[in-house]
Amino acid sequence: MGSDDERNEGVDAAEQPSVQVTWVGHATVAIDIGGVRIVTDPALTRRLAHLRRRVPEVDLGSVDLVLISHLHMDHLHGRSLQRVSSGARLVAPRGARPLVSGCGFATIDDIDRGDVIEHCGVRIEAVHAEHGHRRGPHSRLAAPPVGYVIEAGGSRIYFPGDTDLHPQMQRLGRIDLALLPIWGWGPTLGELHLDPSSAATAAEWLGSAAVVPIHWGTYSPVRVGRGSPTGLDRPIAAFRERLDLIGRAGSLVGLDPGGSVIVDASGVRTAHR
C-alpha cells in the first residue's frame, strides 16, 4: 500500500475537496464530502432507553453510509437507524447483523478489524477498539468493537467509537482530525472508556492537528423535575485542562452539537460552533 503522498501524487492540493465534519451529539458525527454523507453511530431520538437527550433532536436528511462501532444501545439504536436507513449502506462489526437486518438498509457490510471498504471515493478502514464485545447483560449477541479511519479529500479522520487507550493508536499514521470520546452519559464512567485524562493521552499519541471531543453532554439518565442535570459540561472543561497541561491546548476544537469543522488542504478550521 502506498503512502498518503503516493496516493495523492499528481493531484493538486487545491483540487482536493474539503470535508465538513459535524458533531451531531454523543458519538454521532456527520461527514460530508462531495455530496456524500457518512454518519457514525446514530443516536438521534429524544429518549434512548433510560436516557433523555439534553440537546435538540436532529434531522440528518439523506444519508449514504452509516458506520457502527459496536453493539451497545447508545451506539447501535434501532429507532435511530430507521431514521437514516432509506437507501443507505450500513457497515457494522461482524455479529451485529441480527440487530440491523430489519432496519431497512439497502446493503449491509459485515466487517472485521483490518477490513477496508470504499464508498464513492472514500476509503474507510476498521481499526482496533478496546471496549466491550457484548450487546448487554440480557443478550448473547457479541461482536468485536471497532474504530474507523476515514480517508477523504486527502484528509484522514479517526473515529474510535468507544475505546480505552491502546497501543495501536500510535500506529495509525497521520491523523488530521481525531474525534475523541471523553466521557459517556452518566455521572460516572464505566471501564474501557476514554475519560478527559486518557483522551488527552490519546491526543498526544495520535499527534493530530485537531481534536474534536465527542461522547459527552448529550444524554443523561431520566430524572425527576425539569431541566438538564448540572455538570454536563464538566468533561469538556477537564479535557481542556488536561490538554493544556501537556501542551496540546491548541489542538482542541470544542463544538456544541450541530457545530462543524472543515478539513482540507489548508488544515482544519471551524465552520460554526
Side-chain angles (χ1 to χ4, degrees), residues 1 13 15 19 22 26 37 53 75 87 97 120 130 134 147 152 162 180 219 232 234 249 252 256 258 260 265:
M1 181 185 302
E15 297 177 0
V19 183
T22 303
H26 204 55
R37 169 160 283 192
R53 190 176 180 92
H75 293 256
R97 188 173 285 263
C120 297
E130 194 74 15
R134 298 185 65 84
D162 260 355
L180 291 183
Y219 285 97
L232 285 180
R234 287 176 185 164
L252 175 64
D256 293 325
S260 301

Side-chain angles (χ1 to χ4, degrees), residues 84-143:
V84 299
S85 62
S86 180
R89 177 183 182 184
L90 178 76
V91 177
R94 190 173 303 280
R97 188 173 285 263
L99 295 170
V100 299
S101 59
C103 291
F105 287 92
T107 58
I108 298 174
D109 292 78
D110 304 298
I111 53 94
D112 298 303
R113 296 164 179 172
D115 287 349
V116 174
I117 68 162
E118 302 270 351
H119 187 88
C120 297
V122 180
R123 181 185 187 274
I124 300 166
E125 181 179 1
V127 298
H128 180 84
E130 194 74 15
H131 197 59
H133 287 54
R134 298 185 65 84
R135 171 69 165 174
H138 306 298
S139 172
R140 294 183 178 181
L141 288 175

